[in-house]
Amino acid sequence: MSTPNLSVSVLTLAILHAFAAPALAAHDGAEAQADTPSMAEVVVTASKAPAAKRASVGGFSDAPLLQTPASVTVISQKDMQDLQIRNLSDAVKLDASINDAYNAVGYAEQFSIRGFKLDNNSSYRKDGVAIPGDTQIPLENKERIEVLKGLAGLQAGVAAPGGVIDFIVKRPTNTPLRTVTVEARERGTLYGAIDLGGRLEDTRFGYRINVAAERLRSYIKGADGNRKFISGAFDWQISPQALLQLDADYQDKAQATAPGFQLLNNTTLPTGISADAMLNLQPWTRPVETVTSNIGLRFQYAFNDDWHATLSANQHSFKRDDYTAFPYGCSGQDLYPGFCGNGDYDVYDYRSLGETKKPLSAQAMIQGKFATGALRHDFTAGVSTFRRKDRAGLYVYDWVGVSNIYQPQIVGTSPGVTGPVRLVRKDTENSVFVQDIVSLAQNWKLHGGLRHIDVDGYQYVLKADKEIRAKHDFLLPNVSLVYTPLDNVSVYAAYSQGMEHGGTADRKAMNANEELTPSRSKQIELGVKMDVTPDFMLAASLFQIRKGLEFQNAAGYFVREGQAQHRGLELSAQGKATRDLNLGVSLTALNSQQSNTGSADLDGKRVPNVPAFKAAVHADYAVQQVAGLSVNGSWEYAGKKAFEYNNTTFVPSYHVFNLGAAYATRIAGTRAVLRAAVNNVADKFYWRDVTPESDGYLYPGASRTFKVSAQFDF
């Protein structure tokens, strides 16, 4: 298919219209104004504190959450400011359907939604286009975070069945914005950020600049590092109908990563350890060094009040040098995996240098409204392309000695050297999509959509020294029916299909580093939403998702056999419950089950690392007796989780309580907000992440931490 050529054609047409409009206006003057109907204007600017009532991740345009037939969470810039959220790991704690999934401190932030792990290459989005999630995605230049829970085949194409996380970039403000934030945490983390926005003397041009620097001192002693970030977003109102937006960002992060623990004797949870214990602590330990950047472009043109076109593209660049003193197994007891009964574990010198990814995403879309008889249509059609190129070299993974979780030992390094970097992955994904939202009657809307995807893939398997080439195509339908019995209530039923890349075998599997073929997933969802007030929403959804189960079998091969079925109930309440109380409640009950695997040890068992019930509650109360003072608190609960696919070991449930306060005042005439928080007030030890990946690792949650910050608005 000729997707790129079609994209260029649509782009050319829109740009010609954009620049023709002001030229014709100059030529025709007042006569044109009298004879030509007024055109719709395209104006997109950011606000200082947007309400989390709308999102674009559930479809192809910004829409009210009430009218979106999907389960969507929006974490606004205000939420991130009020809760001193600096990374995605803290942000997603507000949603009970999201869990850590091999989320090691200092490495890539990795998550699951509805029990399915997200794909680092396709499940994370920036303004709707795919970006890798192989490192901490910066939040300083993000207006909000939108989470679509469930299949996103129509909206995103290739993506894991759990959903997608979309980062919406901050845009220029109409009024001057000058904000400085500083923060300190008790182990010595220091953070500073600047947010500048406004318009030039020629108000057709706007800007938004974000700069941040951070000295990282993790709650895990030794997982230290630093981070530097800068971004810019600019827009040009070419004409009342045409808007051009450009954004770019750059981040340089270096931080020592903190590996997890394994079972003692491969049967028992470690005891008597501290949450701040660092297993990657050798004299030769080096931080994982990651450099990322984005350049994004978006052009919007309104042909008239009913029809408009949008073209967007993003070039991402990622480079990583990975160093770890990696803990795995116990040679003294011939355990692989598992630590020795006395806490001994084998240490491997792991080095992978020069890893790069340079994906390019682009999308062209036209949207409009029309009627066919009594039926009204909101129509969308478009094309998209995703080009991925990954490079890596042969890594070092050599045994270098034995240490102990209770009494760490110094071991030597390996003389091994990494191999030359070469192309290891090249994918081209082209797709065509169409959606029509048909108003059948006053209270009924039918959403129907279809996306066709062609995937042309190449993989070079480093350890096996072999090439794999494959082509696939998928047709992904999405249909939903929405009933609105009242203006503030909607009920929906939805069916969708999705496609995801196959999982990649771990380096210790017999088919190490090989990727399985793409697979299809299916979802049924029923939901109801209610705007109790314009500022407070209730929502509930029932869902069932089925997909092929991927795991490492008894023979040591990573395979897809049988089925994973996840059935769940999500309940949420979000917004201003009373004049003084802001409330956020998220509850998820999940029944996950494996079947038809061919193994009696696996059939009927729960999917690991996913609790059957999880709750996240946050409240913020404005104290009227003290002007500017607010207090907040949150509660996180997760039920017990299975550690292995055969459910031999479970980690216990846990409760975590957090407290905070904020005080808005003026200092030397400058508006200021002073904030303080204590997380994990009771200093509870718990296992936050018990991934089965890489033969299974357990990660403790953070111990009690303190932080204070000050925000100044000039």
Side-chain angles (χ1 to χ4, degrees):
M1 60 183 296
S2 57
T3 300
N5 291 335
L6 179 57
S7 300
V8 171
S9 300
V10 176
L11 175 61
T12 302
L13 175 63
I15 290 176
L16 286 174
H17 272 274
F19 287 96
L24 289 173
H27 176 73
D28 294 334
E31 181 182 349
Q33 287 187 348
D35 296 340
T36 306
S38 62
M39 298 287 284
E41 291 190 25
V42 177
V43 180
V44 178
T45 56
S47 62
K48 292 186 179 180
K53 296 288 291 181
R54 304 176 66 89
S56 56
V57 72
F60 295 104
S61 60
D62 191 53
L65 295 182
L66 182 68
Q67 300 174 17
T68 302
S71 185
V72 175
T73 294
V74 179
I75 302 167
S76 69
Q77 180 190 351
K78 186 177 186 303
D79 294 329
M80 290 185 272
Q81 289 174 332
D82 290 345
L83 299 176
Q84 303 174 82
I85 290 172
R86 309 295 175 219
N87 54 60
L88 188 57
S89 295
D90 288 339
V92 299
K93 291 178 181 178
L94 299 174
D95 193 313
S97 289
I98 307 177
N99 290 278
D100 289 334
Y102 208 179
N103 187 4
V105 169
Y107 205 66
E109 297 180 289
Q110 303 184 92
F111 308 97
S112 67
I113 302 178
R114 290 183 170 178
F116 294 106
K117 186 179 178 182
L118 301 185
D119 183 345
N120 276 9
N121 294 294
S122 61
S123 297
Y124 300 90
R125 305 271 153 165
K126 170 181 164 284
D127 285 337
V129 295
I131 59 171
D134 291 295
T135 187
Q136 176 182 332
I137 296 176
L139 302 183
E140 284 80 12
N141 68 329
K142 305 305 188 294
E143 187 73 24
R144 62 186 183 273
I145 302 168
E146 299 179 355
V147 182
L148 171 61
K149 293 177 283 187
L151 266 60
L154 174 64
Q155 299 89 340
V158 179
V164 295
I165 299 178
D166 195 5
F167 298 85
I168 308 303
V169 171
K170 291 178 180 177
R171 296 298 174 181
T173 54
N174 279 333
T175 57
L177 173 70
R178 307 286 187 269
T179 297
V180 175
T181 302
V182 292
E183 180 178 293
R185 305 192 182 198
E186 86 285 352
R187 276 211 64 241
T189 292
L190 299 176
Y191 173 86
I194 300 173
D195 188 357
L196 307 175
R199 310 206 75 78
L200 302 182
E201 184 175 349
D202 183 344
T203 57
R204 294 177 302 165
F205 299 93
Y207 64 92
R208 190 72 175 266
I209 307 294
N210 289 95
V211 180
E214 191 169 14
R215 185 182 75 170
L216 297 162
R217 297 295 181 265
S218 169
Y219 69 92
I220 298 177
K221 296 179 179 178
D224 299 338
N226 61 80
R227 182 174 71 93
K228 296 177 286 291
F229 173 78
I230 186 170
S231 70
F234 310 93
D235 65 28
W236 175 22
Q237 193 79 54
I238 301 170
S239 73
Q241 295 79 40
L243 176 69
L244 181 65
Q245 297 176 314
L246 173 69
D247 64 87
D249 64 66
Y250 174 87
Q251 178 175 264
D252 186 341
K253 181 185 178 187
Q255 184 178 10
T257 186
F261 295 79
Q262 294 189 316
L263 298 177
L264 302 185
N265 295 317
N266 200 27
T267 58
T268 308
L269 292 171
T271 58
I273 59 173
S274 172
D276 64 6
M278 174 67 155
L279 303 187
N280 177 26
L281 198 59
Q282 294 292 333
W284 43 271
T285 295
R286 294 185 59 177
V288 176
E289 300 172 1
T290 310
V291 176
T292 58
S293 65
N294 287 285
I295 299 177
L297 181 70
R298 179 181 292 259
F299 177 71
Q300 296 172 277
Y301 185 79
F303 297 100
N304 54 43
D305 287 341
D306 292 328
W307 288 90
H308 64 274
T310 305
L311 300 105
S312 56
N314 191 82
Q315 175 70 67
H316 181 89
S317 177
F318 164 88
K319 182 180 183 299
R320 177 170 64 197
D321 291 335
D322 193 349
Y323 306 87
T324 309
F326 199 80
Y328 178 77
C330 165
S331 55
Q333 296 178 214
D334 197 26
L335 286 175
Y336 304 99
F339 290 175
C340 302
N342 66 349
D344 282 353
Y345 61 88
D346 289 5
V347 180
Y348 291 78
D349 181 355
Y350 175 74
R351 279 171 275 139
S352 178
L353 308 183
E355 303 172 11
T356 64
K357 293 184 178 182
K358 293 187 176 181
L360 171 65
S361 303
Q363 180 171 279
M365 183 168 61
I366 188 166
Q367 296 175 288
K369 299 178 181 180
F370 63 93
T372 54
L375 302 180
R376 290 178 291 113
H377 302 260
D378 287 330
F379 181 78
T380 299
V383 294
S384 66
T385 185
F386 178 72
R387 310 291 177 90
R388 171 184 174 187
K389 290 184 179 180
D390 300 356
R391 300 178 64 85
L394 197 63
Y395 53 80
V396 172
Y397 182 68
D398 294 342
W399 183 92
V400 291
V402 175
S403 189
N404 186 277
I405 61 175
Y406 304 111
Q407 297 179 339
Q409 304 296 310
I410 294 176
V411 300
T413 61
S414 164
V417 295
T418 58
V421 172
R422 59 154 293 165
L423 182 69
V424 295
R425 181 70 181 264
K426 182 180 179 181
D427 285 348
T428 299
E429 300 170 9
N430 293 325
S431 66
V432 178
F433 56 88
V434 62
Q435 182 188 44
D436 193 10
I437 303 174
V438 185
S439 298
L440 302 174
Q442 183 177 356
N443 299 328
W444 292 89
K445 286 188 177 182
L446 177 65
H447 297 237
L450 200 63
R451 180 184 286 262
H452 181 268
I453 307 174
D454 284 314
V455 179
D456 187 353
Y458 162 84
Q459 183 190 12
Y460 174 73
V461 184
L462 287 165
K463 287 290 187 181
D465 190 24
K466 69 176 182 179
E467 296 181 336
I468 301 174
R469 301 176 186 272
K471 293 185 177 182
H472 305 276
D473 69 280
F474 282 75
L475 192 62
L476 304 176
N478 183 300
V479 63
S480 58
L481 185 63
V482 181
Y483 174 56
T484 309
L486 300 170
D487 289 343
N488 65 328
V489 177
S490 67
V491 182
Y492 67 89
Y495 171 80
S496 56
Q497 293 187 12
M499 170 192 170
E500 65 174 324
H501 289 297
T504 302
D506 181 76
R507 61 179 172 272
K508 295 181 286 296
M510 297 296 292
N511 53 339
N513 303 120
E514 289 188 23
E515 183 180 283
L516 302 180
T517 59
S519 66
R520 186 184 297 269
S521 50
K522 300 178 181 180
Q523 174 180 273
I524 299 172
E525 182 170 331
L526 304 173
V528 59
K529 300 179 182 181
M530 179 180 182
D531 278 340
V532 180
T533 70
D535 299 317
F536 190 68
M537 171 179 277
L538 300 178
S541 60
L542 280 168
F543 63 87
Q544 173 184 280
I545 303 175
R546 291 176 173 172
K547 62 154 284 185
L549 182 68
E550 298 177 352
F551 60 98
Q552 189 168 311
N553 65 18
Y557 286 90
F558 184 67
V559 298
R560 182 187 300 124
E561 291 183 5
Q563 177 181 266
Q565 175 180 274
H566 294 197
R567 290 175 171 167
L569 168 66
E570 295 169 334
L571 303 173
S572 67
Q574 187 72 37
K576 201 173 184 65
T578 69
R579 182 190 66 173
D580 302 324
L581 178 64
N582 279 284
L583 185 65
V585 178
S586 177
L587 310 175
T588 300
L590 185 66
N591 177 275
S592 60
Q593 193 173 79
Q594 306 166 168
S595 61
N596 300 319
T597 65
S599 170
D601 289 338
L602 300 180
D603 285 346
K605 302 297 175 63
R606 286 168 50 172
V607 173
N609 203 19
V610 179
F613 180 75
K614 188 176 180 183
V617 178
H618 174 265
D620 188 293
Y621 182 75
V623 181
Q624 291 299 318
Q625 292 80 0
V626 182
L629 177 65
S630 64
V631 294
N632 63 72
S634 62
W635 166 60
E636 305 165 27
Y637 170 79
K640 67 177 183 178
K641 295 185 285 189
F643 179 48
E644 312 97 339
Y645 284 98
N646 61 13
N647 291 187
T648 301
T649 308
F650 281 82
V651 298
S653 61
Y654 64 83
H655 299 265
V656 174
F657 296 93
N658 312 300
L659 294 174
Y663 180 60
T665 184
R666 285 186 177 272
I667 299 176
T670 299
R671 288 177 298 164
V673 182
L674 309 178
R675 298 183 175 97
V678 183
N679 292 336
N680 193 0
V681 173
D683 203 19
K684 170 81 171 180
F685 180 90
Y686 62 99
W687 298 106
R688 63 170 175 86
D689 186 359
V690 291
T691 177
E693 292 191 48
S694 294
D695 283 346
Y697 282 91
L698 305 107
Y699 294 89
S703 53
R704 181 167 51 226
T705 56
F706 304 84
K707 54 185 175 181
V708 293
S709 69
Q711 175 186 323
F712 302 95
D713 294 308
F714 296 94

